[in-house]
Amino acid sequence: MDLLERVQRRAMKMIRGMEHVSYEDRLRQLGLFSLENRRLQGDLIAAFQYLKDAYKKAGEGLFTRASSDRMRGNGFKLEEGRFRLDIRKKFFTVRVVRHWNRLSREAVDAPSLEMYKARLDGDLSNLI
């Protein structure tokens, strides 16, 4: 757990009536995600922008689309790379692919960024 997460935990304990509630329950009651999940949410939003929207030109070689005719879930699956070095697992493209492939078809096929964000919130609350 990083420093920011500890600060958020401590700050949430100061909320009256939530002193003895677990961190996860406090997040759920307040309708918030943990910082790690918010980081993932930001990464998935950036991936959507690279793949569909604002940065399409720059993102053309960033991700590789999976080629398979037997796909369930969303029809826009990305290919996962395999690396021997652990440091590569932290790269943006590697971090995002597994979670992107688990998103619903409705989220991935969203016509706008605002609709994607709304659908992503629902998917993340179900996935995580």
Side-chain angles (χ1 to χ4, degrees), residues 70-114:
R70 297 182 301 129
M71 283 193 231
R72 293 183 299 173
N74 79 54
F76 197 79
K77 301 262 185 200
L78 301 175
E79 198 171 290
E80 285 191 63
R82 296 176 191 254
F83 303 106
R84 279 190 252 152
L85 298 175
D86 280 345
I87 194 163
R88 294 231 176 143
K89 293 177 183 173
K90 307 266 189 227
F91 288 176
F92 171 73
T93 54
V94 176
R95 248 185 3 242
V96 167
V97 169
R98 184 171 44 99
H99 296 288
W100 177 270
N101 289 342
R102 293 173 55 198
L103 292 177
S104 68
R105 181 180 300 267
E106 291 80 24
V108 172
D109 291 339
S112 70
L113 182 60
E114 293 308 313

Side-chain angles (χ1 to χ4, degrees), residues 14-126:
M14 290 191 257
I15 299 172
R16 179 170 282 145
M18 293 195 152
E19 299 91 356
H20 303 293
V21 179
S22 72
Y23 178 62
E24 289 76 21
D25 289 338
R26 279 183 259 149
L27 287 172
R28 207 170 294 115
Q29 287 176 7
L30 295 171
L32 300 173
F33 290 122
S34 69
L35 291 177
E36 182 180 333
N37 294 345
R38 279 195 252 157
R39 224 174 278 128
L40 171 63
Q41 183 182 28
D43 286 348
L44 288 169
I45 290 169
F48 179 83
Q49 289 177 318
Y50 274 109
L51 292 165
K52 303 268 183 146
D53 202 31
Y55 308 117
K56 191 170 180 131
K57 267 281 202 233
E60 283 176 0
L62 198 58
F63 295 100
T64 308
R65 191 164 180 183
S67 57
S68 174
D69 56 348
R70 297 182 301 129
M71 283 193 231
R72 293 183 299 173
N74 79 54
F76 197 79
K77 301 262 185 200
L78 301 175
E79 198 171 290
E80 285 191 63
R82 296 176 191 254
F83 303 106
R84 279 190 252 152
L85 298 175
D86 280 345
I87 194 163
R88 294 231 176 143
K89 293 177 183 173
K90 307 266 189 227
F91 288 176
F92 171 73
T93 54
V94 176
R95 248 185 3 242
V96 167
V97 169
R98 184 171 44 99
H99 296 288
W100 177 270
N101 289 342
R102 293 173 55 198
L103 292 177
S104 68
R105 181 180 300 267
E106 291 80 24
V108 172
D109 291 339
S112 70
L113 182 60
E114 293 308 313
M115 288 183 75
Y116 174 73
K117 286 179 182 179
R119 293 172 183 176
L120 178 64
D121 287 343
D123 280 2
L124 284 179
S125 62
N126 293 335

Side-chain angles (χ1 to χ4, degrees), residues 4-15:
L4 277 175
E5 193 83 34
R6 279 186 277 168
V7 170
Q8 180 173 316
R9 281 178 184 260
R10 217 173 299 138
M12 289 178 73
K13 276 188 178 179
M14 290 191 257
I15 299 172

